[in-house]
Amino acid sequence: MASYKLNINDKNYEIEADPSMPLLWVIRDLAGLTGTKFGCGIAECGACTIDFNGNPVRSCSIAVSAVSNQRITTIEGLSANNDHPVQKAWIKEQVPQCGYCQSGQIMAAAALLKRNANPTDKDIDTALQGYICRCGTYPRIRKAIKTAAGMMKAKSF
C-alpha cells in the first residue's frame, strides 16, 4: 500500500492503494464516483473513459501509481448539473438505451469537440472508434455530437 494525492474533478483526494490498482477502481471504490463504468477491464470497450490531463483515456488500464498529482475529470466533473453541451445533446437526441457505455462515450465526445469544433462523420467515427455500444446507438451518438457542436457554436447551453 502507498499513499497518492489525486485531483479528481478539481477536488483533492488522499488515497491509500496498492500501486498497481487500476485508476478505475480508485475512482469508483475509493473516491466513490461511480459514473465511470467497468466494461471489459482491458481497455477495449471505452466504458471507463475519463479525461486525464486533457486527453480521453481508459481508466482501467492506468495504475494509480502513474497518476499522482495529475488532473483527472470523470463524468461527474464534466458539468455540475448535466449542462455540458454533450450531455444536453445526448438527452435531446435520446441517445441511450441501456446507458451503460454512455459516460465513456460522452467523455470521448467532449474531448473530440475540444479538439475539433466541427467534426465530420469520419472525424466522429475515428474519435469514437473502439467505444462499444451494445445497443448499437451509433447513429444517435453521431447525431448528438453534431448537435452538441451546434450548441457550442451558438452558445446555446
Side-chain angles (χ1 to χ4, degrees):
M1 293 293 262
S3 180
Y4 299 96
K5 292 181 181 182
L6 303 180
N7 182 291
I8 305 172
N9 302 331
D10 295 322
K11 182 179 175 188
N12 293 319
Y13 291 82
E14 182 84 25
I15 302 286
E16 290 286 326
D18 182 289
S20 64
M21 181 181 231
L23 180 58
L24 170 65
W25 299 117
V26 171
I27 290 168
R28 289 183 58 80
D29 294 347
L30 302 181
L33 301 167
T34 57
T36 304
K37 303 299 182 197
F38 171 79
C40 66
I42 56 173
E44 291 292 322
C45 74
C48 68
T49 299
I50 59 164
D51 183 291
F52 181 65
N53 290 326
N55 297 300
V57 298
R58 315 284 170 102
S59 63
C60 72
S61 65
I62 301 173
V64 66
S65 59
V67 300
S68 197
N69 296 312
Q70 306 292 317
R71 188 170 174 266
I72 299 163
T73 304
T74 68
I75 190 73
E76 293 93 344
L78 194 58
S79 69
N81 300 309
N82 291 326
D83 59 1
H84 186 281
V86 174
Q87 292 169 311
K88 290 179 89 170
W90 239 248
I91 294 165
K92 181 178 183 204
E93 302 302 344
Q94 299 179 353
V95 172
Q97 280 186 348
C98 81
Y100 199 81
C101 69
Q102 298 308 303
S103 59
Q105 300 265 8
I106 288 169
M107 295 304 289
L112 167 63
L113 292 174
K114 258 198 271 186
R115 293 186 317 270
N116 182 348
N118 191 28
T120 64
D121 285 349
K122 185 176 187 214
D123 296 331
I124 293 168
D125 293 347
T126 299
L128 276 80
Q129 182 178 346
Y131 286 83
I132 298 171
C133 174
R134 293 178 182 141
C135 301
T137 65
Y138 300 109
R140 293 195 309 240
I141 290 168
R142 186 183 298 126
K143 186 176 182 185
I145 292 170
K146 289 182 176 186
T147 297
M151 292 171 143
M152 292 169 89
K153 281 183 210 158
K155 306 251 189 262
S156 62
F157 54 92

